[in-house]
Amino acid sequence: MSRKLTFDTWLFSTAMLILVVGLVMIYSASAMIATQRFGHGPYYFLMRQLAFLIVGGGAMLFLMHLNPAMLENRRVVYGSLAVVALGLIVALFQSPINGTHRWIQLPWFQLQPSEFAKPAIILFIASFLSRRDERINDLTTTLLPLGFVLALVAGLVLLGRDFGTAMTLIIVAAGMIFVAGVSWRYVALIGAAFVPLAGYFAVSAAYRRERLLTFLNPEADPLGKGFHAMQSLIAIGTGGFQGLGIGNGRQKLFFLPEPHTDFIFAIICEELGFLGALGLLAALVLLVWRGLRVARYSQDRFAFYAAIGCTLMIAIQALINVSVVLCLLPTKGLPLPLVSYGGSSLIASLMAVGLLLNFSQQSG
């Protein structure tokens, strides 16, 4: 396979820019919390994120220079999926954190295997579809096996009470299968089955019902269940057009819970204003566009499907996170890719970027 001498520099530069913005805002949002609530120095969360960045950057560079044939190797694909599934099972037997079983407790940090399920399932589906391009509409040899593996992984994630990540996996997989050319008949059948099933799971657990009801009317309990939503909107409104300036935000001062993780976009809106938030969104859109461009000019079907999957993974998470912060969706617990604090999320996102950079080296 012929290859370019260099990777997509626009994609790389945009990802690095988003990372820098994330580091700055993590420090701004977490310095006071790290000092007052956790008794650490103001740089605690920043230094931990930098450590995760080193690990994630190493994974990105490794994947970026790996022979694409290795990524498609069945031993690698199925081995990665098996390791992730094992991690999801182990997480179910860990002590719950905030009522969920998403993390594996390790000596120095917590590992969230559901984050690594995203790149693993993307590689599996890309490998599977590339070998069955001519039989995409074969129910018994293509669609049912795909559905079984996806249901198994998403089901394990859902058992850990991570509805948002399970939905993300399903949407990414559906997007990859759709671009493979699946028949509209199957699209309609899957949609007819999936929508009521998703609705059932959305209301089957008490905490998910509460989130949905709170989303519909957060003003009904502004100091209780609607506290997250109301404080997020206050931060966004306070920022105005130009923002209060980096470090000058007020909602991070024990008003908005965990402002350096899932709701960091609210702090960005408050401190950088509409202009800063729009600039970050523009960078994310540019990253997604470069990812789609990588898929467009891929020279083999595996790279095409994998690039689509990695791009959807970043785009869907960003869309859901921003929508939650703007109170357009119920709270999901999904981080903003490359921006929010969190080791597993950062490493998984950098792995996706590394895969895109790898595929971008193929001749267009």
Side-chain angles (χ1 to χ4, degrees):
M1 179 184 298
S2 59
R3 297 175 65 83
K4 292 180 181 178
L5 295 177
T6 59
F7 51 84
D8 188 330
T9 54
W10 277 98
L11 194 155
F12 177 80
S13 300
T14 304
M16 295 305 103
L17 174 63
I18 296 172
L19 278 171
V20 170
V21 173
L23 290 172
V24 172
M25 296 312 302
I26 285 171
Y27 170 69
S28 177
S30 67
M32 185 63 69
I33 291 177
T35 303
Q36 299 296 326
R37 183 185 298 175
F38 296 100
H40 301 293
Y43 299 99
Y44 176 74
F45 289 107
L46 174 62
M47 297 307 296
R48 287 179 63 86
Q49 189 76 348
L50 283 171
F52 296 137
L53 177 57
I54 292 173
V55 176
M60 181 189 73
L61 292 174
F62 173 76
L63 291 173
M64 175 180 162
H65 293 98
L66 190 65
N67 188 330
M70 286 295 297
L71 294 170
E72 196 175 357
N73 186 287
R74 293 192 186 187
R75 293 181 180 178
V76 174
V77 171
Y78 289 99
S80 301
L81 201 60
V83 170
V84 166
L86 179 61
L88 291 170
I89 294 172
V90 171
L92 294 177
F93 295 93
Q94 300 286 297
S95 299
I97 299 177
N98 296 327
T100 65
H101 295 271
R102 303 179 185 181
W103 293 274
I104 297 175
Q105 302 289 340
L106 297 174
W108 300 104
F109 63 99
Q110 299 166 346
L111 185 70
Q112 190 173 355
S114 60
E115 289 292 337
F116 301 102
K118 299 168 188 174
I121 202 73
I122 286 170
L123 290 179
F124 166 75
I125 295 176
S127 174
F128 196 89
L129 290 176
S130 65
R131 297 195 307 271
R132 289 168 171 79
D133 234 5
E134 303 298 325
R135 295 176 288 167
I136 182 60
N137 289 304
D138 192 313
L139 187 63
T140 56
T141 64
T142 303
L143 296 179
L144 286 180
L146 271 177
F148 174 77
V149 174
L150 180 60
L152 176 63
V153 176
L156 289 173
V157 173
L158 196 58
L159 284 175
R161 300 185 68 178
D162 193 351
F163 182 74
T165 299
M167 289 296 297
T168 301
L169 286 172
I170 293 171
I171 295 172
V172 170
M176 295 174 68
I177 296 170
F178 178 78
V179 300
V182 68
S183 169
W184 281 102
R185 176 184 60 178
Y186 289 123
V187 172
L189 288 174
I190 294 171
F194 174 73
V195 171
L197 187 63
Y200 166 76
F201 279 112
V203 299
S204 60
Y207 78 98
R208 287 197 289 266
R209 286 197 302 272
E210 289 180 356
R211 285 182 177 180
L212 183 59
L213 293 174
T214 300
F215 161 70
L216 295 174
N217 188 17
E219 297 88 352
D221 190 11
L223 298 179
K225 296 180 177 64
F227 189 75
H228 264 90
M230 298 304 296
Q231 296 303 313
S232 178
L233 290 177
I234 290 172
I236 295 169
T238 304
F241 191 70
Q242 294 183 327
L244 303 179
I246 295 177
N248 295 326
R250 296 186 288 268
Q251 292 307 111
K252 64 190 179 185
L253 303 177
F254 310 105
F255 293 104
L256 182 63
E258 306 298 333
H260 55 302
T261 57
D262 300 341
F263 281 83
I264 195 169
F265 186 71
I267 304 303
I268 292 174
C269 291
E270 183 181 23
E271 298 192 351
L272 302 182
F274 174 78
L275 288 177
L278 186 63
L280 176 60
L281 292 177
L284 287 166
V285 169
L286 177 59
L287 183 66
V288 169
W289 172 60
R290 299 305 294 189
L292 293 176
R293 188 178 184 278
V294 170
R296 168 68 177 81
Y297 291 104
S298 295
Q299 295 298 292
D300 66 83
R301 300 304 288 174
F302 170 77
F304 169 76
Y305 292 127
I308 287 289
C310 291
T311 304
L312 285 175
M313 168 185 158
I314 294 171
I316 290 168
Q317 286 188 108
L319 180 62
I320 293 176
N321 178 274
V322 171
S323 297
V324 167
V325 170
L326 296 176
C327 295
L328 299 176
L329 285 176
T331 304
K332 293 293 182 185
L334 288 178
L336 186 59
L338 303 175
V339 180
S340 294
Y341 172 80
S344 298
S345 171
L346 179 61
I347 295 170
S349 296
L350 285 172
M351 290 173 66
V353 172
L355 290 171
L356 288 172
L357 289 171
N358 185 309
F359 302 138
S360 75
Q361 297 174 77
Q362 301 175 22
S363 298

